[in-house]
Amino acid sequence: MSFKYILLDLDGTLTDPAIGITNSIMYALEKFGIRVNDRSELYSFIGPPLQESFMRFFGFSEADAVRAVEYYREYYRDKGIFENLVYDGVEDLLQLLKEKGRTVILATSKPELFARQILEHFDLAEYFDFVAGSELDGRRVHKDEVIRYALDACKISDLAKAIMIGDREYDIIGARKIGIKSLGVLYGYGDRKELEVAGADYILDTVAELKDFLLKD
């Protein structure tokens, strides 16, 4: 099936943000006297809304979780945001999608302001028709809200031609809530079981496989 509207997650799908995100989380946790020595223990933060993750993984109250997000951004906005790498093959994929006339949309739970900065920093902004993210005040953090916002803004009504691509269950669940197809990638921070349980319509291992899938006639 050929998809015209391609919605892409950012962290774990287009870029590997592990160093920047975990450094920012460590910085925030240290404000509460919590030290984490193995950053891989924090990879579960990559994808879901931050406030919810602080509450879920460290038992923070809602008020402390809000403070933790503020501390996180102290580090992230100047340093962590650029401690990031574009996955091999991603820019080539985006360029080919544009050449083929696809509508390419970023759909991330990350604040839209930061998402735009990342795309511009890595010279990827030119490939996107629209950037949809959350607000800094905590609005529009759930993936279904982001997807709906993007579809409405781009006036996309033929949902059968749209697909959401991401590496975590949140991307898949968000797509299902809205009624579009979903594709999970395994080179990010989710695993096959997570994506299958969430109900992904397709699961692929590599960027190369993703390119072949999206560009086939």
Side-chain angles (χ1 to χ4, degrees):
M1 181 176 186
S2 178
F3 293 98
K4 177 175 176 55
Y5 309 109
I6 314 299
L7 287 78
L8 292 155
D9 179 42
L10 180 59
D11 294 339
T13 302
L14 300 181
T15 68
D16 183 350
I19 299 300
I21 287 179
T22 53
N23 279 347
S24 303
I25 295 165
M26 289 176 177
Y27 174 88
L29 291 174
E30 286 179 0
K31 297 288 189 178
F32 293 87
I34 301 170
R35 181 175 293 274
V36 176
N37 295 316
D38 183 357
R39 72 175 63 246
S40 66
E41 295 176 10
L42 303 175
Y43 286 170
S44 53
F45 274 76
I46 300 174
L50 278 173
Q51 183 177 323
E52 294 178 11
S53 293
F54 280 114
M55 296 169 69
R56 176 181 178 186
F57 299 120
F58 286 91
F60 281 19
S61 66
E62 184 174 350
D64 281 346
V66 170
R67 288 173 55 212
V69 171
E70 292 173 355
Y71 290 138
Y72 171 98
R73 288 176 179 164
E74 284 181 8
Y75 182 94
Y76 187 81
R77 63 168 43 96
D78 294 322
K79 296 180 181 178
I81 190 171
F82 301 124
E83 294 173 331
N84 201 349
L85 295 169
V86 179
Y87 286 117
D88 289 342
V90 160
E91 184 168 8
D92 181 52
L93 166 64
L94 295 173
Q95 184 175 1
L96 288 171
L97 287 173
K98 291 308 299 175
E99 289 176 359
K100 293 292 185 178
R102 304 297 200 272
T103 298
V104 183
I105 299 167
L106 189 75
T108 176
S109 291
K110 184 184 293 297
E112 201 169 289
L113 172 67
F114 295 152
R116 290 181 183 279
Q117 285 181 276
I118 291 168
L119 293 182
E120 290 168 4
H121 178 77
F122 290 110
D123 296 322
L124 300 178
E126 64 183 292
Y127 303 116
F128 287 86
D129 295 280
F130 190 74
V131 175
S134 64
E135 299 287 357
L136 286 169
D137 62 7
R139 287 179 293 130
R140 205 168 57 234
V141 297
H142 295 109
K143 191 52 68 84
D144 60 301
E145 297 173 322
V146 175
I147 294 171
R148 172 52 61 198
Y149 165 60
L151 294 175
D152 288 348
C154 295
K155 296 180 171 56
I156 297 170
S157 58
D158 187 358
L159 299 188
K161 289 291 186 180
I163 188 168
M164 177 69 218
I165 299 163
D167 66 314
R168 300 298 309 276
E169 63 180 336
Y170 309 95
D171 303 299
I172 308 307
I173 293 169
R176 291 186 64 191
K177 285 184 177 180
I178 297 301
I180 65 174
K181 295 290 187 182
S182 63
L183 187 155
V185 296
L186 293 175
Y187 55 82
Y189 288 88
D191 57 32
R192 182 174 293 275
K193 182 178 180 181
E194 174 183 334
L195 296 170
E196 287 178 344
V197 170
D201 295 292
Y202 312 95
I203 300 176
L204 298 175
D205 288 290
T206 67
V207 175
E209 289 180 1
L210 180 60
K211 180 173 69 173
D212 290 342
F213 176 88
L214 292 176
L215 294 171
K216 66 184 178 184
D217 294 327

